[in-house]
Amino acid sequence: RKEVEQDPGPFNVPEGATVAFNCTYSNSASQSFFWYRQDCRKEPKLLMSVYSSGNEDGRFTAQLNRASQYISLLIRDSKLSDSATYLCVVNAYGAGNMLTFGGGTRLMVKP
Amino acid sequence: EPEVTQTPSHQVTQMGQEVILRCVPISNHLYFYWYRQILGQKVEFLVSFYNNEISEKSEIFDDQFSVERPDGSNFTLKIRSTKLEDSAMYFCASNPGQGIAFFGQGTRLTVV
């Protein structure tokens, strides 16, 4: 079973659309959760941390459900510049404080 | 804004040769990592380094790989005898200890 699982997509959406990505993780000891964004052939960049109570940053909303081991990212009013791969990332702290990455979900926003 | 820097940006090497990939993590960070990403695949953990020693390594990080922090600022990844399948983007990252990791721009390693 994959440790962090995501639908690879691609999700093709028009500008202005709302799109949601989901992610599940297998390690119940995971402590911290993040969404990273990766543009083609570039490094992953932190988009936002995910908190138990859910959190919002502008057009982006992240939710965490620890009981179901499920994380989500909602993007409202999609922009062309949102086109990228979105990586779900978890940290189990004890294991060398390493991040475990999902395979990513590709988003393509079209005019 | 402080950032993780990596050199070179692209390295081409012949199979069997040794390569050293270099990184300068963010100075007050505590954890340092190497990750790799084969083209079209996911980001994979190689090794984490804390308090001047390896704290965790993956099964990818075999005897061909080693890491060093020779002078308190640089953090290097050495691959002793490169194979074709080592061709990938190698990312260095550092973490202040709060779980978030900041990544360098990566070194694209091409083994021919």
Side-chain angles (χ1 to χ4, degrees), chain A residues 36 38 43 93 96-99, chain B residues 31 33 35 37 48 98 101 104:
Chain A
Y36 276 72
Q38 187 175 31
E43 76 275 24
Y93 281 122
N97 209 2
M98 70 185 209
L99 301 181
Chain B
Y31 292 85
Y33 310 90
Y35 286 81
Q37 187 174 31
S48 62
Q98 297 160 356

Side-chain angles (χ1 to χ4, degrees), chain A residues 4 32 34 36 38 41-44 46 49 87 91 93-103, chain B residues 31 33 35 37 39 42-43 45 48 55-56 89 91 95 97-105 108:
Chain A
V4 181
S32 299
F34 310 95
Y36 276 72
Q38 187 175 31
R41 295 182 179 242
K42 300 284 190 184
E43 76 275 24
L46 179 67
S49 301
L87 307 173
N91 184 332
Y93 281 122
N97 209 2
M98 70 185 209
L99 301 181
T100 302
F101 284 76
Chain B
Y31 292 85
Y33 310 90
Y35 286 81
Q37 187 174 31
L39 188 63
K42 72 179 206 172
V43 177
F45 170 74
S48 62
S55 52
E56 185 76 19
M89 187 74 116
F91 293 110
N95 176 339
Q98 297 160 356
I100 298 171
F102 298 87
F103 285 78
Q105 292 182 314
R108 179 165 300 282

